[in-house]
């Protein structure tokens, strides 16, 4: 054998040895994509206009078609914390977007942190910061950092970006309603350089003269535009077109309101995510990295226009293209076999009562007023009900002591709450703080218990009637009914077995599943590894 032939033979052998080794290496990038307020049925009802990323995920991913949340308080902060940590609210503690703090007597935002300060990328005056200090379980992003990887989380909302990454990250950014991107001293003492460069080179105001028009012909959209009960945002009308430029005489902040509620904000986040992949070389080094993107526009538009609106449908058509561009970028820069991605939503949304022909709205003030009418003649003058934050009713300490010591008075309180038009069932909070309640065969009790966190949840917990909104908004979410609980769960990418799966799944399953595929050890979760959707490979 000549030396040249011998060298060629050795090269072939080495290549054959190296190929299985390369194939066995776990992916180096975990990606989480969350679409705020995306009902599960949107993927079937409105998919006729999909040609990009959503279509690709549905076709080439492991799609769990019966997935949903098992708990009651289906709102943004609990949803993102559940996806980020793989645990439910009874453990991670983010029970609502806002809840009554018994120590301070205030109702803080779930990520408020008076010990931190916002860091603006746009020169805005510093204000109180945000952090994950109230998040009681570690999120996947911060655990990736512990293992030496890089973590990035992007959204319009702080509660979304923070819930997905937790306490530690290389970059966490959200949009300040005053008009600029921001982060917090919880994640560093200065703007992240690559984000500062990107934001300077891509000012949001470049979209000032854009007009949101329907992407497809009007006949391609279901239902009618300008339907009964629809609301508006930013002084837009209920029909297209929707200009981003402020109305004559209105402040510049109206542009920022409109921009956030348009597909252009989603497109911006998609470009920012691609920039993060490039600048930090996510998935292109030896460590396992993490990228989380939460698209918020659908939620903001859905609250105003409702799930049947042409606005919601068009946002999905445009988001499909945005996600498609991000997947294409990941394919080119990271490699198709070098990343694994999970897609889900933090909650769904109810139909507009006027369009459903049933249900209605009930405010917190109504709940408090009815209880005060009952309790003042019995307990005397005073503020006996301190707050009602959505499903949670908080009593003054003296009132709580009197009520819970008297079974007859407890029954009167429960009966008063049950007579409210929006209330289906009422639980005493302390009845929900047990493992038996969380495993109850009564699905309503179990859902309430999985949302209950002792010390944060209310003294009484309300379960709304179907199609009733505990809000005065056009429509909202936050119940245990399928339109709120059912959301997409799709796993896509390396080592994923494509197909439609009818096994039970929840968004809490994404963190352990993605970590397993990437071979990353994480803290115990309430979720499970979706092994039926995975090909053979390393897992921990």
């Amino acid at each position: 054998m000549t030396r040249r032939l011998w060298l060629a033979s050795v090269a072939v052998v080495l290549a054959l040895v190296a190929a299985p080794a390369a194939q066995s290496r776990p992916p180096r990038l975990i990606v989480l994509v969350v679409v705020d307020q995306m009902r599960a049925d949107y993927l079937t009802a409105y998919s006729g206009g999909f040609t990009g990323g959503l279509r690709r995920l549905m076709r080439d991913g492991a799609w769990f078609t019966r997935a949903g949340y098992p708990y009651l308080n289906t709102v943004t902060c609990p949803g993102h914390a559940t996806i980020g940590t793989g645990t439910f609210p009874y453990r991670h503690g983010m029970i609502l977007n806002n809840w009554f703090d018994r120590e301070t007597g205030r109702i803080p935002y779930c990520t408020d942190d008076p010990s931190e300060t916002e860091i603006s990328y746009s020169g805005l005056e510093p204000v109180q910061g945000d952090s994950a200090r109230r998040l009681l379980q570690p999120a996947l992003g911060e655990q990736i950092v512990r293992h030496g990887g890089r973590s990035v989380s992007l959204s319009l909302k702080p509660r979304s970006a923070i819930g997905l990454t937790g306490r530690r990250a290389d970059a966490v950014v959200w949009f300040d309603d005053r008009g600029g991107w921001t982060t917090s001293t919880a994640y560093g003492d200065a703007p992240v350089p690559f984000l500062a460069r990107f934001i300077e080179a891509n000012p949001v105001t470049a979209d000032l003269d854009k007009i949101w028009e329907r992407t497809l012909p009007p006949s391609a959209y279901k239902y009618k535009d300008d339907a009964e009960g629809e609301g508006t945002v930013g002084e837009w009308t209920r029909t297209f077109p929707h200009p981003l430029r402020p109305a004559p005489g209105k402040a510049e902040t109206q542009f920022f309101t409109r921009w956030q509620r348009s597909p252009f904000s989603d497109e911006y986040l998609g470009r920012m995510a691609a920039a993060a992949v490039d600048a930090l070389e996510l998935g292109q080094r030896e460590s396992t990295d993490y990228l989380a993107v939460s698209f918020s526009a659908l939620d903001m538009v859905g609250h105003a226009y409702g799930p049947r609106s042409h606005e919601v449908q068009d946002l999905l058509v445009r988001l499909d293209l945005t996600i498609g561009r991000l997947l294409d970028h990941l394919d080119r820069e990271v490699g198709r076999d070098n990343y694994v991605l999970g897609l889900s939503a933090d909650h769904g949304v109810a139909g507009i009562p006027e369009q459903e022909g049933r249900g209605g709205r009930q405010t917190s003030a109504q709940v408090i007023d009815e209880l005060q009418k009952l309790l003042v003649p019995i307990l005397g003058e005073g503020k006996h009900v301190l707050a009602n934050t959505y499903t949670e009713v908080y009593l003054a300490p003296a009132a709580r002591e009197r009520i819970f010591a008297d079974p007859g008075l407890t029954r009167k309180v429960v009966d008063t709450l049950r007579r409210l038009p929006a209330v289906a069932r009422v639980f005493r909070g302390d009845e929900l703080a047990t493992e038996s309640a969380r495993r109850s065969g009564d699905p309503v009790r179990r859902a309430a218990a999985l949302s209950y966190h002792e010390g944060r949840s209310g003294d009484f917990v309300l379960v709304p009637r179907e199609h009733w909104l505990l809000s005065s908004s056009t429509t909202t979410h936050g119940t245990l009914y399928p339109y709120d609980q059912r959301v997409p769960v799709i796993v896509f990418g390396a080592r994923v077995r494509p197909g439609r799966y009818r096994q039970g799944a929840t968004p809490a399953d994404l963190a352990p599943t993605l970590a397993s595929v990437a071979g990353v050890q994480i803290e115990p979760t309430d979720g499970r590894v979706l092994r039926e959707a995975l090909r053979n490979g390393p897992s921990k």
Side-chain angles (χ1 to χ4, degrees), residues 342-526:
L343 171 82
S344 193
D346 50 352
H347 53 75
V349 68
I352 297 174
E354 290 83 355
Q355 294 176 15
E356 296 289 335
R358 50 189 168 171
R361 299 173 180 83
Q362 178 179 289
T363 66
S364 295
Q366 290 174 274
V367 175
I368 294 171
D369 286 348
E370 288 303 309
L371 282 184
Q372 283 289 116
K373 288 178 187 175
L374 168 71
L375 295 174
V376 167
I378 299 171
L379 304 180
E381 293 294 329
K383 189 174 182 180
H384 304 300
V385 185
L386 297 181
N388 169 220
T389 58
Y390 209 69
T391 55
E392 313 298 309
V393 178
Y394 299 85
L395 302 171
R400 183 184 188 280
E401 185 176 352
R402 285 278 303 278
I403 292 167
F404 283 3
D406 183 343
L409 184 52
T410 300
R411 281 194 298 274
K412 288 182 179 179
V413 170
V414 170
D415 290 345
T416 298
L417 292 170
R418 283 288 307 275
R419 284 195 292 270
L420 290 165
V423 177
R425 291 180 67 176
V426 180
F427 294 104
R428 268 180 54 162
D430 55 5
E431 297 174 338
L432 302 174
T434 64
E435 184 64 21
S436 62
R438 293 189 287 271
R439 294 180 178 275
S440 174
D442 175 356
V444 178
R445 180 181 294 275
R446 178 172 182 264
L450 289 174
S451 280
Y452 183 87
H453 187 88
E454 194 166 9
R456 293 185 177 181
S457 296
D459 298 304
F460 288 97
V461 175
L462 311 180
V463 178
R465 293 186 186 279
E466 192 169 9
H467 303 294
W468 278 85
L469 314 177
L470 300 185
S471 169
S472 59
S473 61
T474 300
T475 188
T476 192
H477 44 84
T479 75
L480 43 63
Y481 300 108
Y483 50 76
D484 283 342
Q485 285 190 335
R486 293 285 309 284
V487 295
V489 168
I490 297 178
V491 187
F492 169 86
R495 299 215 168 94
V496 173
R497 193 187 306 276
R500 296 192 181 188
Y501 295 82
R502 292 182 58 79
Q503 291 93 330
T506 82
D509 299 333
L510 286 177
T513 300
L514 299 177
S516 175
V517 172
V520 176
Q521 185 73 43
I522 64 171
E523 297 291 325
T525 66
D526 290 318

Side-chain angles (χ1 to χ4, degrees), residues 193-277:
F194 89 84
L195 280 174
R197 291 192 299 271
F198 178 85
I199 291 166
E200 182 178 10
N202 299 272
V204 169
T205 50
D207 290 341
L208 183 63
D209 289 318
K210 288 185 176 179
I211 298 173
W212 179 16
E213 299 268 17
R214 275 178 290 225
T215 308
L216 306 176
S219 61
Y221 297 83
K222 296 185 176 182
Y223 310 109
K224 68 175 184 177
D225 200 9
D226 192 11
E228 184 182 5
E230 281 191 17
T232 63
V233 293
E235 296 190 26
W236 276 341
T237 65
R238 301 196 328 188
T239 59
F240 287 96
H242 298 311
L244 267 59
R245 180 174 285 277
K250 295 297 180 180
E252 183 186 32
T253 52
Q254 188 180 78
F255 160 72
F256 297 120
T257 297
R258 292 176 168 187
W259 180 81
Q260 291 182 80
R261 290 154 179 81
S262 78
F264 305 115
S265 64
D266 285 342
E267 291 167 10
Y268 193 105
L269 278 169
R271 296 196 303 273
M272 184 182 280
V277 170

Side-chain angles (χ1 to χ4, degrees), residues 142-149 287-288 520-522:
E142 68 185 270
Q143 296 186 74
I144 291 293
V145 174
R146 286 185 204 166
H147 289 286
S287 61
T288 301
V520 176
Q521 185 73 43
I522 64 171

Side-chain angles (χ1 to χ4, degrees), residues 57-309:
L57 295 176
M58 293 161 65
R59 183 191 65 219
D60 299 336
W63 178 10
F64 286 80
T65 58
R66 301 176 67 184
Y69 288 97
Y71 57 73
L72 171 62
N73 290 342
T74 46
V75 295
T76 299
C77 193
H80 282 82
T82 294
I83 295 169
T85 67
T87 64
F88 297 133
Y90 81 97
R91 281 182 66 187
H92 64 60
M94 299 300 226
I95 61 166
L96 286 168
N97 293 339
N98 308 78
W99 62 84
F100 182 74
D101 187 322
R102 291 181 173 90
E103 291 184 7
T104 65
R106 298 177 181 272
I107 302 177
Y109 187 66
C110 64
T111 57
D112 279 354
D113 190 342
S115 68
E116 304 291 353
T117 303
E118 301 288 80
I119 299 174
S120 174
Y121 284 86
S122 307
L124 300 175
E125 287 295 316
V127 295
Q128 176 183 286
D130 291 84
S131 80
R133 74 184 182 99
R134 290 186 174 88
L135 183 62
L136 303 179
Q137 295 293 319
L140 181 55
E142 68 185 270
Q143 296 186 74
I144 291 293
V145 174
R146 286 185 204 166
H147 289 286
R150 292 174 174 170
S151 174
V152 175
S153 190
L154 316 170
S155 182
L156 294 185
K157 301 178 181 180
R159 61 185 180 270
S160 303
I162 290 171
L164 293 178
T165 197
R167 288 172 172 77
R168 298 176 61 190
D170 293 88
V172 184
V173 70
W174 53 89
F175 196 78
D176 188 313
D177 289 338
R178 295 176 295 166
W181 295 98
T182 190
T183 186
S184 167
T185 52
Y187 299 102
D189 55 9
V192 177
F194 89 84
L195 280 174
R197 291 192 299 271
F198 178 85
I199 291 166
E200 182 178 10
N202 299 272
V204 169
T205 50
D207 290 341
L208 183 63
D209 289 318
K210 288 185 176 179
I211 298 173
W212 179 16
E213 299 268 17
R214 275 178 290 225
T215 308
L216 306 176
S219 61
Y221 297 83
K222 296 185 176 182
Y223 310 109
K224 68 175 184 177
D225 200 9
D226 192 11
E228 184 182 5
E230 281 191 17
T232 63
V233 293
E235 296 190 26
W236 276 341
T237 65
R238 301 196 328 188
T239 59
F240 287 96
H242 298 311
L244 267 59
R245 180 174 285 277
K250 295 297 180 180
E252 183 186 32
T253 52
Q254 188 180 78
F255 160 72
F256 297 120
T257 297
R258 292 176 168 187
W259 180 81
Q260 291 182 80
R261 290 154 179 81
S262 78
F264 305 115
S265 64
D266 285 342
E267 291 167 10
Y268 193 105
L269 278 169
R271 296 196 303 273
M272 184 182 280
V277 170
D278 296 344
L280 298 182
E281 298 183 319
L282 299 179
Q284 300 162 64
R285 305 170 305 117
E286 286 305 306
S287 61
T288 301
D289 298 322
Y290 177 80
L291 172 65
V293 188
S294 178
F295 295 101
S296 307
L298 181 63
D299 180 75
M300 298 181 183
V301 169
H303 276 292
Y305 289 95
R308 296 181 184 176
S309 66

Side-chain angles (χ1 to χ4, degrees), residues 51-54 56 263-264 266-268 270-271 273-274 295 317-333 339:
T51 60
L54 292 175
R56 184 177 168 192
F264 305 115
D266 285 342
E267 291 167 10
Y268 193 105
R271 296 196 303 273
F295 295 101
V317 168
R318 299 282 285 267
L319 180 62
D320 167 65
L321 299 176
T322 292
I323 293 175
R325 287 189 288 269
L326 179 58
L327 294 180
D328 290 343
H329 191 83
L330 291 170
D331 290 346
R332 289 192 304 270
E333 302 303 324
Y339 72 92

